[in-house]
Every structure is written in C-alpha cells, then in structure tokens.
C-alpha cells in the first residue's frame, strides 16, 4: 500500500483529484467507482472545477457507486443518488446511462445485486475505486465481520454507523438500518483503490487498516493485499501511524516519473461556489 501523508485536507484532496484526473485524461472511457460521505465532497468539487476550467471530459466515463440505503428513493434528500447528483454528477458532462448507483427501492435485492456485479464486469471492471473509511474500519458499508470475499449484497449497519450518518438526515428522521453495498471482494477487484481519510477521528481506523492485522474486524485492512492501493491522509489522520516517517521518506524520494499527477498548479474552489 502506498501511504501518502499530506499536511491537510486541501493538499490531500488536491492530490487525490490529480490522481483521478490523470486516469481520466489517459483513459477517457475509464470506469470509476465512487463513494459518498463527507470525505470525497471537496475532491468532487475539484473535479467539477477541472471540468469547467481545464476541460476535464466526463462524457465517456462510466461510474459505479459503492452503496445506497434500502428504502430511500433516488429523490430522497439523504439518498446517495441525490448526494451524487448534487455533489458531482449534475455538474459534469457525464452520460446518464453510464451512471450506476444501487437502487434502494428494488423489490428483488439479490437479483439486483447480481445484476450490479454483472454490469461492473460488462463495463470492463473498475479502473479506480474511490473510498472513504468508517471509524470502525468499514469500506463501502462492509461493517466489521463482513466477509473479506463478499460481493454486492444487503448489509445491516452498526449502531455507530447509524449514529455517524444521522447528520445527513433531518433530526426526527431515522437513518435506514439496511443498505446495498458492493462487497469487499468487489472493491478488491478494482485496478486501483484510492482511499482518503482526514481528521483525528479517522486516526485509529487508519492505523488499524494500514499497520494492523488483516482481519474482517477491520474490513479496510484487506487493502494491504491489494496490488495498487493508495492511502492519502492528512497529518491528523496519520497521527497514530507507527511508521509515518518512513512513509514520508518514501514519498519525498519517489522517482519523478511517478509524480505525473502533481505537475499542475493547485487550487480548490469552495463547493458552494462551484455548485450554485
Ligand atoms: C460511502 C461509504 C462509506 C464512507 C465512510 C466514511 O459511500 O461507502 O464507507 O466512505 O462511512 O464516511 P465519511 O466520509 O462521511 O467519514
């Protein structure tokens, strides 16, 4: 796993966006795996800016989202369909028939999940899967004890994840207990996994996933087995990493040809500026 420690959320986000940009420019018909939650919001904002100001073209891309709440329609304000439209998809020139997000209203979840897996294969597999990490080490909504070989399926959220996600719902409304999520095995088949984690609250999960044992109790730890997993963290999220100095040393001494994604000037516009 390549572990890159950046000073703060802005520089970490900028780097993540440049990695995605490099893929999109070299492979305009790439297949992207996308995530929701707070972590990727600034990155999506930067991709929107690149689309508007630097001609980043989404017209041939295909996307697959990690997860969706069971029982929420695409129009529900807290659905991941809405989240994706508001934070990225409605602001770029992506084709609607190439956007895939699990259907929380499907009447036949097992069939839907099998079809979702088949659609990923039919699209040629995911080139880059963007990931956040839960405080308990979940990726997608694969909570601790999820099979490390799991495929897209229904999962029950833990009480902690429900509590953490309450912020996306109005105060009296309850977070759904069930979700459809890509499995850990599905995520592991992406050619590149790019996990971002920012803030002190993620430090324990980051240390467990990167330096702890590979275990279903921390599903993100399976990324240690991935041939091309990149972890971008800020100083706060890196604060419990035992070998942080080594990761800094490796990154500082990276051969120049591996730094292609860093060759452009950096600028992250505010999200409200870009989405109005
Ligand atoms: C989102 C997802 C989750 C989040 C994780 C972190 O699609 O699958 O794994 O990435 O819960 O959430 P934030 O970024 O809100 O801390």
């Amino acid at each position: 796993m390549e572990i890159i420690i950046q000073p703060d959320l802005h520089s970490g986000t900028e780097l993540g966006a440049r990695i995605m940009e490099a893929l999109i420019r070299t492979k305009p018909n790439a297949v992207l795996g996308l995530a929701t939650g707070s972590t990727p919001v600034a990155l999506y904002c930067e991709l929107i800016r690149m689309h508007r100001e630097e001609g980043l073209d989404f017209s041939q891309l295909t996307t697959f989202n990690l997860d969706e709440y069971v029982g929420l329609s695409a129009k529900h304000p807290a659905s991941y369909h809405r989240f994706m439209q508001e934070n990225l998809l409605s602001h770029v020139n992506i084709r609607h028939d190439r956007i895939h997000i699990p259907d929380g209203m499907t009447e036949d979840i097992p069939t839907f999940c099998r079809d979702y897996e088949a659609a990923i294969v039919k699209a040629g597999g995911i080139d880059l899967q963007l990931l956040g990490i839960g405080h308990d080490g979940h990726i997608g909504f694969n909570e601790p004890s999820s099979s490390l070989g799991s495929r897209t399926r229904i999962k029950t959220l833990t009480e902690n994840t429900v509590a953490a996600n309450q912020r996306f719902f109005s105060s009296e409304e309850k977070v759904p207990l069930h979700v459809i999520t890509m499995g850990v095995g599905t995520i592991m088949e992406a050619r590149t996994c790019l996990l971002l984690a920012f803030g002190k609250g993620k430090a324990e999960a980051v240390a467990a996933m990167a330096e702890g044992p590979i275990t279903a109790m921390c599903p993100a730890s399976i990324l240690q087995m991935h041939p091309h997993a990149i972890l971008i963290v800020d100083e706060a999220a890196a604060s419990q990493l035992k070998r942080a100095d080594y990761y800094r040393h490796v990154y500082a001494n990276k051969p120049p040809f591996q730094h292609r994604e860093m060759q452009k000037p950096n600028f992250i516009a505010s999200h409200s500026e870009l989405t109005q």
Side-chain angles (χ1 to χ4, degrees), residues 76-115:
H76 190 286
S79 75
Y80 288 163
H81 280 76
R82 264 286 276 280
F83 176 98
M84 289 310 300
Q85 286 300 328
E86 285 172 4
N87 288 286
L88 177 67
L89 301 173
S90 68
H91 305 286
V92 294
N93 64 332
I94 189 159
R95 275 177 45 175
H96 288 274
D97 58 336
R98 295 203 176 142
I99 296 169
H100 303 83
I101 303 174
D103 177 5
M105 298 301 283
T106 181
E107 282 174 6
D108 183 350
I109 292 177
T111 303
F112 177 85
C113 293
R114 271 195 300 275
D115 291 349

Side-chain angles (χ1 to χ4, degrees), residues 25-240:
R25 294 215 192 266
T26 50
K27 188 175 180 188
N29 63 348
V31 179
L32 301 181
L34 299 178
T36 59
S38 311
T39 306
V41 170
L43 182 145
Y44 291 152
C45 190
E46 176 63 355
L47 291 180
I48 295 168
R49 188 198 65 75
M50 288 173 176
H51 168 65
R52 292 187 179 164
E53 297 176 8
E54 298 173 4
L56 189 64
D57 181 21
F58 287 71
S59 66
Q60 296 179 62
L61 293 178
T62 299
T63 63
F64 287 89
N65 261 79
L66 283 167
D67 38 29
E68 179 58 286
Y69 291 107
V70 170
L72 294 199
S73 75
K75 290 209 173 85
H76 190 286
S79 75
Y80 288 163
H81 280 76
R82 264 286 276 280
F83 176 98
M84 289 310 300
Q85 286 300 328
E86 285 172 4
N87 288 286
L88 177 67
L89 301 173
S90 68
H91 305 286
V92 294
N93 64 332
I94 189 159
R95 275 177 45 175
H96 288 274
D97 58 336
R98 295 203 176 142
I99 296 169
H100 303 83
I101 303 174
D103 177 5
M105 298 301 283
T106 181
E107 282 174 6
D108 183 350
I109 292 177
T111 303
F112 177 85
C113 293
R114 271 195 300 275
D115 291 349
Y116 203 70
E117 292 274 337
I120 293 173
V121 171
K122 193 168 171 223
I126 292 172
D127 289 299
L128 183 147
Q129 176 64 57
L130 183 62
L131 297 164
I133 184 168
H135 296 104
D136 56 5
H138 69 234
I139 45 175
F141 273 135
N142 296 285
E143 298 283 31
S145 81
S146 289
S147 158
L148 298 180
S150 53
R151 313 303 307 189
T152 303
R153 70 211 183 291
I154 188 169
K155 282 295 290 180
T156 308
L157 297 180
T158 62
E159 281 178 21
N160 284 346
T161 302
V162 168
N165 288 3
Q166 184 64 57
R167 69 195 193 279
F168 296 110
F169 289 76
S170 61
S171 51
E172 67 281 3
E173 215 182 0
K174 288 218 163 77
V175 180
L177 253 192
H178 296 109
V179 291
I180 295 174
T181 180
M182 275 188 209
V184 180
T186 321
I187 293 168
M188 284 294 284
E189 281 174 10
R191 293 179 188 96
T192 296
C193 285
L194 174 61
L195 192 149
L196 307 184
F198 304 118
K200 217 171 173 47
K202 296 290 172 74
E204 202 176 318
V206 163
M209 74 156 282
E211 295 179 337
I214 296 173
T215 164
M217 296 316 289
C218 176
S221 63
I222 192 65
L223 292 171
Q224 293 175 31
M225 296 288 289
H226 195 284
H228 195 210
I230 305 168
L231 168 64
I232 299 179
V233 286
D234 63 359
E235 289 289 352
S239 58
Q240 291 190 33

